[in-house]
Amino acid sequence: MSDRKWRPRPAIALPSRRRGAHYTVRDLLTESLNGVSAKPSRLVISVVGTLVGIGALVMTIGLGQTAAGQVATRFDSVAATHLEVQPATASGADGKDHPTASIPADALDRVTRLAGVEAAAALAKVSFEARITAVPVNDPSSTAAVPPPIVAVSGDLLAAVGGAVSGRMFDRGHEERVDRVAVLGAGAAQALGIENAASSPSIFIDEHAFTVVGILESSEIEPGLVDSVIVPLATAQRDLRAGPADTLALRIAVGAASTVSHQAPIALAPNAPDGFTAAAPPTGAELHGDVQGDLDLVFFMIGLITLVAGGLGIANVTMLSISERRSEIGLRRALGATRRQIAAQFMTESLVVGTLGGLIGAAVGVLTVVIVSLAQGWTPVLDLGLVLGSTVSGGLVGLAAGCFPAVRAARVEPADALRDS
Amino acid sequence: MSEPLQPLLDLRQVTRSFGGAGAVTALAGIELSVASGDHVAITGPSGAGKSTMLNILGLLDRPSTGEYLFDGEPTSRLSERRRSTLRATQIGFVFQAFHLLPGRTVLENVSMAYLYGTVPRYERGRRARDALDRVGLSHRIGFQPGTLSGGERQRVAIARAVCTEPRLLLADEPTGNLDRANSEEILALFDELNADGLTLVTITHDQRVADRARRRVRIEQGRLTEPTA
């Protein structure tokens, strides 16, 4: 042992209150980090809950944003090459919207002459409640099924709205002859029990037999057609009480959207172009958005519940930790720690655990979004604020979870804690 | 040896009881003065009130009635914060169970004594090294407590207790977990510290430990029964 003398403090007045404060924020952080890392297994258990909760939240919101980005991209490409021209509507006396103009019979000739229009089709929804069957027999015992909608079409539908047909699409000859032919959407064909159009099966719309010439497997721009029965407009007007076309679907050259949307209403009604509106067709984005919104809510709630569970996990593990560390708390009090300093340390430990869970959770969430996006060929869209916000949320959860255990730790009587150990 | 100086510790009719109705009286009217630089051993059977007395002397507990003066200042009127400051700067503790934190090095364990006191951060490492050097453990500063012998652990605890240059060292069964050789080392260290002016109050069952003190007081059923010179 060395010969150095101890230097007990001289017998002077007690140290002043102001001098007794060298416990810095750095000390607090160092002690908290040491406390957190002292038992890695305890750390892992307490981090997992927050990690899963934050990870689920970031993944949910990130995938939602990415999907929305995808829809927007698709919408942009549709908007660049497709237009829909419809009569403008005005609210009538009955409170319903009524068209203020009607599409003329030679509308297709008029719009296809416009520069930039590559294909056009006129569509009319048939509001006539027709009974549609695949057999001529009316079986009164059969369950009444909702018939598929009938869409009357004139012009080059496939070119105008895109899509794939097995068999064939009816053509101008069918229209001019007013033939009773039909193309079934794949959904409608399934509902009617028709598998293919190779044998030219018939369907019966009311008393009229229509020959099925093709089945529409898909349509990019008008997905609703897949569940419909498509017939020539002239035939529908003769047999099914169809009115004039209510929509013109145009495929246009890239860059021509602005010009065509301006010129098409003039071509249809030179004296009253305001009677028509031209816009990019709806792409189902709204429906997609609704579904995505519901999914988001479900995952958001799952994430939130997991986060709460994670917070409870932190609180639980911290409580256990306090029981285990009673002698340490007693020692710190003996070394001069105030109750507030003990509480601050445990609060900070919880904050660190929560922030760590938030940080790793956000990273896992981002990674998941990136992996899913790569697998789907999407462009991942992530808000930086979401990542930062979720990390902060993790910290807040930790802080909230640490409140009660911290108060318990501060109340530990040092004499008891030192005696018990 | 010099004559005892003015009382550093003064217990005046101190009582301490626990619980409400049918309370257990741990201390019953204790009168004890300890001069600065003195070495007092408190002996007595288990449950006699020795630890309760040590807790009150160390400001870890408050008397139920009576007054405890530390360096002439009544402690009953001190706030919790001020009592903490006194513990951090004026009082050192040595426990039978050492109370070293596992996972921290010897140096870090000793440096903990400065956390809540007045020594600035940049000074702590150097002073802790000095204290470890003083107890002969400068070669163990990077070791974990779990790798040390019992005697070495208690020396680390003593370094932690005295590195803040306290005026009072309270030792609760300091050799209770040690063999004879290690006990002798610790007692020699205590003698040295006391010779340098540190006031020592030791609680012990061990007569050999009590014999090293200048004064011995015996406590039974919460009363000092046979103060001996």
Side-chain angles (χ1 to χ4, degrees):
Chain A
M1 297 196 191
S2 87
D3 294 330
R4 276 198 48 186
K5 293 280 184 187
W6 292 104
R7 289 170 292 135
R9 287 169 183 274
I12 52 169
L14 302 180
S16 78
R17 193 169 299 194
R18 287 172 193 279
R19 286 182 55 222
H22 270 99
Y23 188 68
T24 60
V25 173
R26 191 174 162 193
D27 287 328
L28 174 62
L29 283 176
T30 308
E31 289 305 302
S32 302
L33 287 175
N34 279 327
V36 165
S37 59
K39 269 202 168 180
S41 56
R42 191 170 60 201
L43 175 63
V44 168
I45 291 169
S46 49
V47 159
V48 160
T50 328
L51 187 157
V52 172
I54 292 289
L57 281 178
V58 171
M59 188 189 72
T60 306
I61 300 173
L63 283 178
Q65 287 176 339
T66 300
Q70 285 310 115
V71 170
T73 306
R74 181 160 174 263
F75 187 80
D76 288 347
S77 75
V78 167
T81 54
H82 292 82
L83 267 185
E84 271 190 0
V85 182
Q86 290 176 316
T89 55
S91 188
D94 57 358
K96 294 178 181 172
D97 287 343
H98 295 281
T100 57
S102 62
I103 293 174
D106 60 346
L108 287 179
D109 289 339
R110 296 191 194 193
V111 293
T112 47
R113 282 202 291 268
L114 295 174
V117 174
E118 295 176 342
L123 289 85
K125 285 195 175 63
V126 177
S127 52
F128 169 54
E129 293 276 330
R131 193 172 60 82
I132 304 171
T133 60
V135 289
V137 180
N138 183 7
D139 179 2
S141 65
S142 66
T143 313
V146 178
I150 303 169
V151 177
V153 170
S154 173
D156 193 351
L157 180 70
L158 278 187
V161 301
V165 166
S166 64
R168 55 171 299 198
M169 190 70 202
F170 50 76
D171 57 21
R172 184 176 279 268
H174 291 111
E175 286 186 55
E176 286 175 354
R177 293 192 300 274
V178 199
D179 286 343
R180 287 188 180 130
V181 288
V183 169
L184 301 181
Q190 192 181 7
L192 292 168
I194 293 171
E195 289 179 1
N196 61 63
S199 57
S200 299
S202 292
I203 59 165
F204 296 87
I205 304 177
D206 271 353
E207 306 306 325
H208 308 294
F210 282 70
T211 304
V212 177
V213 296
I215 292 176
L216 180 69
E217 303 294 348
S218 65
S219 173
E220 288 171 30
I221 310 303
E222 293 283 351
L225 288 176
V226 173
D227 294 320
S228 306
V229 174
I230 304 160
V231 296
L233 180 59
T235 312
Q237 285 170 335
R238 186 191 66 195
D239 296 337
L240 305 175
R241 300 177 219 166
D246 52 36
T247 303
L248 284 180
L250 310 180
R251 196 186 76 212
I252 54 176
V254 174
S258 173
T259 311
V260 173
S261 64
H262 177 69
Q263 289 179 346
I266 297 173
L268 293 174
N271 297 327
D274 292 346
F276 293 96
T277 59
T283 57
E286 272 182 35
L287 178 65
H288 184 272
D290 287 348
V291 174
Q292 187 63 46
D294 291 344
L295 278 177
D296 277 356
L297 187 65
V298 169
F299 280 106
F300 182 78
M301 292 308 291
I302 291 173
L304 213 59
I305 290 166
T306 317
L307 203 55
V308 170
L312 290 174
I314 293 180
N316 202 21
V317 174
T318 310
M319 287 298 289
L320 272 176
S321 157
I322 287 167
S323 302
E324 281 177 20
R325 293 165 66 188
R326 270 175 66 84
S327 73
E328 179 192 330
I329 295 169
L331 172 71
R332 287 182 186 276
R333 295 297 311 279
L335 292 177
T338 61
R339 291 183 192 280
R340 192 174 291 186
Q341 285 165 337
I342 295 292
Q345 177 173 339
F346 280 91
M347 288 282 282
T348 310
E349 288 188 16
S350 272
L351 174 70
V352 168
V353 168
T355 308
L356 203 61
L359 207 60
I360 301 174
V364 169
V366 168
L367 204 65
T368 309
V369 171
V370 170
I371 289 172
V372 169
S373 299
L374 283 177
Q376 297 286 336
W378 296 346
T379 306
V381 177
L382 273 164
D383 186 0
L384 184 64
L386 167 70
V387 178
L388 294 177
S390 51
T391 306
V392 171
S393 303
L396 291 178
V397 167
L399 207 58
C403 284
F404 180 64
V407 170
R408 287 287 295 269
R411 283 186 184 162
V412 169
E413 284 301 330
D416 296 341
L418 291 165
R419 187 176 52 231
D420 293 347
S421 51
Chain B
M1 293 282 170
S2 59
E3 285 301 308
L5 305 173
Q6 69 173 62
L8 177 67
L9 316 176
D10 200 356
L11 295 173
R12 294 180 180 172
Q13 284 300 314
V14 165
T15 69
R16 180 70 173 104
S17 39
F18 297 96
V24 176
T25 302
L27 297 178
I30 298 287
E31 284 275 348
L32 178 70
S33 285
V34 178
S36 189
D38 207 350
H39 181 182
V40 179
I42 301 173
T43 60
S46 294
K50 301 190 299 292
S51 293
T52 305
M53 197 159 140
L54 190 93
N55 289 335
I56 286 176
L57 290 173
L59 301 174
L60 293 172
D61 197 6
R62 291 174 187 265
S64 300
T65 62
E67 185 60 272
Y68 166 39
L69 290 86
F70 186 93
D71 201 23
E73 179 160 358
T75 58
S76 59
R77 276 175 270 159
L78 296 180
S79 67
E80 195 59 45
R81 186 187 173 91
R82 194 133 166 80
R83 290 163 69 88
S84 294
T85 305
L86 276 177
R87 286 199 300 272
T89 58
Q90 306 276 306
I91 303 172
F93 292 88
V94 174
F95 306 99
Q96 179 178 355
F98 319 132
H99 289 308
L100 301 177
L101 293 192
R104 309 261 184 124
T105 64
V106 164
L107 185 68
E108 287 167 341
N109 265 286
V110 175
S111 297
M112 271 189 74
Y114 298 116
L115 268 179
Y116 309 102
T118 54
V119 177
R121 199 179 171 89
Y122 62 86
E123 274 280 307
R124 296 175 189 171
R126 183 183 62 76
R127 291 199 190 192
R129 281 170 203 274
D130 285 352
L132 282 166
D133 183 36
R134 186 68 178 80
V135 298
L137 287 177
S138 54
H139 60 299
R140 293 274 197 257
I141 56 172
F143 282 54
Q144 300 282 323
T147 62
L148 304 181
S149 70
E152 287 176 322
R153 287 186 216 182
Q154 194 59 300
R155 276 149 63 193
V156 174
I158 292 170
R160 180 182 63 196
V162 298
C163 68
T164 54
E165 299 166 9
R167 299 179 62 195
L168 170 66
L169 180 65
L170 296 170
D172 188 356
E173 299 285 5
T175 60
N177 280 346
L178 303 179
D179 59 23
R180 199 179 181 90
N182 276 314
S183 296
E184 189 51 45
E185 251 183 44
I186 296 303
L187 293 176
L189 194 53
F190 278 177
D191 288 345
E192 248 182 76
L193 294 168
N194 183 235
D196 289 346
L198 181 66
T199 308
L200 262 162
V201 175
T202 310
I203 282 181
T204 183
H205 276 106
D206 189 338
Q207 194 55 44
R208 284 178 304 112
V209 176
D211 289 344
R212 300 290 277 263
R214 287 191 220 168
R215 285 176 64 200
R216 287 168 290 282
V217 295
R218 183 168 177 79
I219 187 167
E220 274 183 31
Q221 293 181 334
R223 295 176 190 280
L224 292 184
T225 55
E226 45 180 292
T228 53

